[in-house]
Amino acid sequence: MTDRSLYTNHNGDHNGDPVLSTTALSMVFGGLIALDRVDLKVERNSITALIGPNGAGKTTFFNCLTGIYPPTRGAITYQPEKDRQINLKGLAPDRVTQLGLARTFQNIRLFNNLTVLENVLIGCHCRMKAGLFGALLRNRKTMAEEKAFIDFSYDLLVRYGLQASVNELAKNLPYGAQRRLEIVRALATVPKVLLLDEPAAGLNINETNELGALIENIRSQEKLSILLIEHDMNLVMKASHTIYVMDYGKLIAVGAPSEIRQNPAVIKAYLGEE
Amino acid sequence: MATLWISFLAYPLVVLRINTNTKSLDPQWSRLPILAASVFVITIIWRFLLKRRSYLRLTKAVNEASGLSVPKATWLTTVAKSRYRRKLLVVLLVIVAIIPFVSTPYTVNIMTTALIYITLGLGLNVVVGVSGLLNLGYVAFYAIGAYTYALLGYYFGLSFWICLPLGALFSTILGFLLGLPIIRLSGDYLAIVTLSFGEITRLVLTNLGFTRGPRGITNIKPPSFFGLNLNGAPKAFLVEHFGLHPVMDLNRLFIYFIILAVVVLTIICVYRLENSRLGRAWLALREDEIACQAMGINRTRAKLMAFALGSTWAGLAGVVFASQITFINPSSFSFMGSIMILSIVVLGGMDSIPGVIIGAAVLILLPEQLRFFSNYRMLIFGALMVTMMVFRPGGLIQSVREVYIHQASDSPPEPRPVVATPSTMDQEILND
Ligand SMILES: Nc1ncnc2c1ncn2[C@@H]1O[C@H](COP(=O)(O)OP(=O)(O)O)[C@@H](O)[C@H]1O
Ligand SMILES: [Mg+2]
């Protein structure tokens, strides 16, 4: 019960401008309640973290947001602009991406046998227009679009330090670069909200530190909001403005990093009894 | 171990011979040791190759870990990758165009078949190789093309040139219609449904009245050359005035060049498709369906397009096929056909245009050259496929991704890449 009140308290004193918010979002797999009435807000142009032990339901939450699973109950409200509201619940994943939510995956899901550039170009898919006849005829309009998006992709790769491996197959990249490429590919969809699922998993300390800087860079340069699932507390504490803590499908705490660090419920969930 | 086992399994096949004179079983025991010995040798070679392969993998991993670079491309892939590939293709094209004038009608016929299979292979490659959708009923679309021409010609006297686009159109529509119910399926289920579709099409063609059932349709007309039958007046003219050899079958020659043109057209289209927004969506679909959707690609749409467009080429090939052999019946389009086309794609190299061409050449031309092996054709075929899958799962020629050349221009601070479009490639070649 204390968990619940803690959450409401916080909600009360927040008067922000959320770009994405869920209300009572629930997901049930057979008998398993993977998400239990989750209310979460991502403020515009902020970095919000979602943490919790393994199996808490974080990835499931992402899957519900992006339309991979249809949520059992609840609503997902997306506000690309301040005065425009879209309910994402029940939309197909490609539609969600078109509207401006992009994501990465906990276990990297790159297009392994395609080149780095092709991976990013596929990210541009929903911003491009060329159809069948454009592809076959290669008319001027199609080629101009193709060139423009190759330039765009290349610029992205340059900005995030992957220009050396433009023609490399994605599977041949080192692990850290694969993680980065997945983020760049998501950025190529020109999102308003970027969902990162454990981007630091498998990275060493140096790479994790770089990632922290990178995430902050992305937020400021691309002018977007980030929802971050992460286990690395160091990274989360440094990078995020607001942290949500989830355990067994329920949110058990929410607040600024300093508050979360001292929250007894969080400490209990993470470290067991201590 | 394996030797004993196979000897035991193959024993009834190899050793027992029915003696037709005495109508009794006549075991030929002398064959058994020969079989055992050969299996033994093959097993040892097999083991050795497997060991060598894992050793190579290991050294590669070690080298990579220690930072040594390992040459990745084999010479075959380098040839495909080089910027001379356009030149190479043109030279190849010229050679293929000259062949009919320096060879026998028999060769022309086989080459025509090979070219038809190249078209089929390239079409199926769009579905299987590029989009990763296993289609075991591809021959059905081939049949639709062939029957379009045969039936429309038979009942309405429509010409080849009208039926060629119609055949392509009908199989595209059929591909689309078949795609509708099965887009949700994948893997084994997709294979089963497409397989049954192929068989159903064949059965329908066998049992419908107006397709004339198993009797098939005979006397399919050759394509006309601006309304003329080439073997009629034009041939007589050429024989009389230009000393043309009277045996020469001008219609067959014409069909040869038509299918050659279709192949060239197919290559261009498939290449362009693959390096376009649509083609990349197919590739993404093949690589990872979830990530593909997460990139904003409409999965249903992409799959339907792949199915429908892949079938188009089968329709084209079917029309040409009907005009080539002048007689078709449903048994021309059996399940073996689908397997053959699939083998071409798998053997040659998934998602590789030169691979499919070589695959078709190997699988269609080789059996013709090795007629004396014909009893063991299927055996060799199977062995070849298994060997391929183990040692070179990517096919003879592995797919090579398009390389995007980065060209630094004079002033801009940020370098811009330039895509190797045909026009820039041509210029490079001219500048050589
Ligand atoms: N498709 C599914 N079907 C059934 N159970 C699932 C499915 N996806 C996730 N789950 C379950 O939901 C729970 C939360 O999983 P997940 O969201 O992956 O956790 P986290 O990402 O926080 O580690 C787990 O118990 C998992 O087994
Ligand atoms: Mg997870």
Side-chain angles (χ1 to χ4, degrees):
Chain A
M1 255 2 278
T2 47
D3 308 343
R4 205 67 208 161
S5 60
L6 195 148
Y7 170 78
T8 350
N9 271 349
H10 175 83
N11 225 12
D13 53 44
H14 225 292
N15 285 322
D17 160 29
V19 62
L20 186 69
S21 56
T22 64
T23 35
L25 194 71
S26 301
M27 178 80 222
V28 181
F29 293 114
L32 178 87
I33 302 174
L35 292 177
D36 191 4
R37 287 163 292 158
V38 174
D39 298 275
L40 185 143
K41 274 192 177 134
V42 179
E43 295 299 325
R44 201 176 298 280
N45 221 334
S46 78
I47 298 178
T48 307
L50 177 60
I51 63 173
N54 271 324
K58 306 180 298 293
T59 300
T60 305
F61 183 69
F62 268 22
N63 286 340
C64 287
L65 287 182
T66 52
I68 292 175
Y69 297 150
T72 317
R73 270 180 299 278
I76 307 166
T77 313
Y78 169 55
Q79 289 180 270
E81 286 93 38
K82 226 170 174 166
D83 45 2
R84 189 162 154 238
Q85 285 202 355
I86 303 168
N87 188 357
L88 294 184
K89 193 185 161 194
L91 293 185
D94 51 290
R95 195 67 200 114
V96 174
T97 307
Q98 280 162 26
L99 287 171
L101 261 67
R103 71 172 290 182
T104 65
F105 296 88
Q106 183 173 347
N107 39 352
I108 305 177
R109 279 176 174 271
L110 286 171
F111 305 120
N112 275 324
N113 296 309
L114 305 182
T115 64
V116 168
L117 186 71
E118 280 172 320
N119 268 273
V120 183
L121 276 175
I122 290 171
C124 299
H125 182 94
C126 61
R127 306 293 164 221
M128 294 172 78
K129 293 204 171 57
L132 173 61
F133 292 102
L136 289 178
L137 301 177
R138 290 212 161 162
N139 51 358
R140 192 172 297 168
K141 200 169 126 210
T142 311
M143 292 322 278
E145 183 193 65
E146 187 84 4
K147 171 130 179 23
F149 276 94
I150 287 170
D151 286 356
F152 170 76
S153 305
Y154 188 77
D155 280 352
L156 270 180
L157 287 170
V158 170
R159 248 187 297 154
Y160 295 101
L162 286 166
Q163 76 271 34
S165 29
V166 169
N167 289 311
E168 200 80 48
L169 293 190
K171 66 178 172 197
N172 294 338
L173 289 186
Y175 188 80
Q178 292 195 359
R179 284 253 174 239
R180 219 159 349 128
L181 175 57
E182 221 194 359
I183 297 176
V184 174
R185 187 183 66 176
L187 288 177
T189 66
V190 198
K192 290 214 162 60
V193 183
L194 180 62
L195 310 172
L196 302 174
D197 196 346
E198 302 199 16
L203 300 186
N204 61 32
I205 298 183
N206 280 341
E207 288 172 324
T208 307
N209 287 339
E210 277 174 27
L211 181 75
L214 181 78
I215 291 176
E216 177 51 37
N217 238 347
I218 292 173
R219 184 196 65 88
S220 54
Q221 282 197 8
E222 317 287 339
K223 297 190 179 51
L224 43 72
S225 325
I226 293 175
L227 179 57
L228 170 71
I229 294 179
E230 193 41 72
H231 276 307
D232 189 298
M233 278 309 135
N234 231 335
L235 175 67
V236 169
M237 293 298 165
K238 252 194 277 174
S240 47
H241 306 138
T242 313
I243 300 178
Y244 286 79
V245 188
M246 186 182 270
D247 198 12
Y248 295 109
K250 281 196 177 94
L251 289 181
I252 57 169
V254 54
S258 55
E259 296 164 34
I260 293 297
R261 217 191 299 258
Q262 277 130 33
N263 189 307
V266 177
I267 294 170
K268 193 176 150 210
Y270 259 86
L271 303 172
E273 309 296 328
E274 209 180 316
Chain B
M1 243 339 270
T3 311
L4 288 179
W5 182 233
I6 292 190
S7 306
F8 174 69
L9 282 181
Y11 152 81
L13 285 175
V14 180
V15 177
L16 295 181
R17 289 280 136 164
I18 292 172
N19 189 326
T20 37
N21 291 335
T22 57
K23 294 210 166 137
S24 65
L25 276 182
D26 184 10
Q28 303 196 341
W29 294 108
S30 61
R31 291 182 181 222
L32 199 57
I34 300 177
L35 175 77
S38 45
V39 170
F40 187 64
V41 171
I42 291 177
T43 324
I44 287 182
I45 297 176
W46 183 256
R47 287 275 162 77
F48 168 74
L49 288 174
L50 277 178
K51 275 232 179 77
R52 201 179 74 113
R53 191 177 67 135
S54 52
Y55 168 74
L56 284 178
R57 279 216 184 132
L58 198 70
T59 44
K60 192 177 163 206
V62 169
N63 283 347
E64 268 170 9
S66 58
L68 288 173
S69 72
V70 183
K72 277 181 203 122
T74 60
W75 72 269
L76 277 175
T77 45
T78 356
V79 168
K81 202 171 190 168
S82 85
R83 54 199 191 139
Y84 299 110
R85 74 180 155 183
R86 215 156 267 269
K87 262 185 188 168
L88 197 76
L89 273 180
V90 171
V91 170
L92 209 65
L93 188 65
V94 170
I95 293 176
V96 175
I98 290 174
I99 282 178
F101 299 103
V102 295
S103 65
T104 59
Y106 171 73
T107 315
V108 174
N109 221 3
I110 295 172
M111 289 287 290
T112 309
T113 309
L115 287 169
I116 288 178
Y117 273 89
I118 289 178
T119 314
L120 289 167
L122 288 171
L124 185 62
N125 186 39
V126 169
V127 187
V128 178
V130 179
S131 315
L133 306 165
L134 190 50
N135 184 347
L136 292 180
Y138 194 64
V139 85
F141 304 107
Y142 186 38
I144 298 300
Y147 266 92
T148 301
Y149 179 41
L151 290 176
L152 289 179
Y154 181 76
Y155 288 111
F156 306 107
L158 288 187
S159 84
F160 177 86
W161 295 109
I162 295 173
C163 290
L164 192 63
L166 275 184
L169 182 71
F170 287 161
S171 29
T172 311
I173 293 174
L174 199 76
F176 181 79
L177 292 180
L178 172 68
L180 280 178
I182 65 174
I183 36 174
R184 287 173 198 289
L185 305 177
S186 60
D188 304 347
Y189 300 105
L190 190 63
I192 291 169
V193 174
T194 48
L195 190 155
S196 349
F197 173 75
E199 286 301 282
I200 289 170
T201 309
R202 192 171 58 81
L203 290 176
V204 166
L205 289 175
T206 313
N207 292 309
L208 277 184
F210 74 96
T211 60
R212 294 166 48 87
R215 280 171 302 160
I217 295 164
T218 45
N219 276 330
I220 300 168
K221 279 179 297 176
S224 62
F225 185 75
F226 296 107
L228 292 171
N229 181 344
L230 276 179
N231 270 354
K235 181 171 168 180
F237 179 79
L238 285 176
V239 169
E240 200 172 317
H241 296 278
F242 292 91
L244 181 86
H245 202 286
V247 174
M248 198 89 152
D249 187 335
L250 285 186
N251 280 330
R252 297 210 166 268
L253 209 60
F254 191 38
I255 292 173
Y256 180 83
F257 281 104
I258 290 173
I259 187 66
L260 190 58
V262 170
V263 166
V264 172
L265 185 79
T266 311
I267 292 176
I268 294 174
C269 288
V270 171
Y271 172 80
R272 288 187 166 192
L273 277 175
E274 244 190 80
N275 294 289
S276 72
R277 174 173 175 265
L278 183 61
R280 284 191 298 263
W282 289 339
L283 289 164
L285 194 67
R286 176 191 76 186
E287 293 291 308
D288 189 322
E289 276 199 23
I290 301 226
C292 162
Q293 286 180 290
M295 292 299 106
I297 293 166
N298 184 332
R299 182 179 56 166
T300 313
R301 186 115 131 265
K303 277 193 186 180
L304 273 179
M305 290 281 256
F307 244 91
L309 283 176
S311 315
T312 311
W313 311 113
L316 282 179
V319 175
V320 179
F321 172 70
S323 76
Q324 182 209 5
I325 68 165
T326 69
F327 161 71
I328 58 168
N329 71 357
S331 64
S332 321
F333 308 100
S334 67
F335 176 57
M336 270 317 292
S338 292
I339 292 298
M340 189 70 178
I341 307 166
L342 189 65
S343 307
I344 287 174
V345 177
V346 173
L347 177 84
M350 294 266 213
D351 173 29
S352 157
I353 295 174
V356 171
I357 295 173
I358 288 187
V362 168
L363 286 186
I364 304 297
L365 299 183
L366 263 194
E368 296 294 338
Q369 303 305 315
L370 306 173
R371 284 246 153 197
F372 49 92
F373 275 140
S374 59
N375 285 334
Y376 300 104
R377 197 189 279 186
M378 289 320 285
L379 190 70
I380 294 175
F381 201 68
L384 193 67
M385 292 313 278
V386 173
T387 318
M388 281 295 302
M389 285 302 96
V390 174
F391 292 106
R392 225 181 143 80
L396 284 176
I397 299 196
Q398 255 123 28
S399 141
V400 183
R401 305 307 323 153
E402 192 75 340
V403 171
Y404 290 82
I405 307 154
H406 165 246
Q407 275 182 359
S409 39
D410 318 326
S411 52
E414 261 181 345
R416 302 251 162 196
V418 167
V419 54
T421 55
S423 58
T424 50
M425 300 242 327
D426 287 344
Q427 271 163 15
E428 273 164 22
I429 288 165
L430 289 178
N431 294 342
D432 280 343

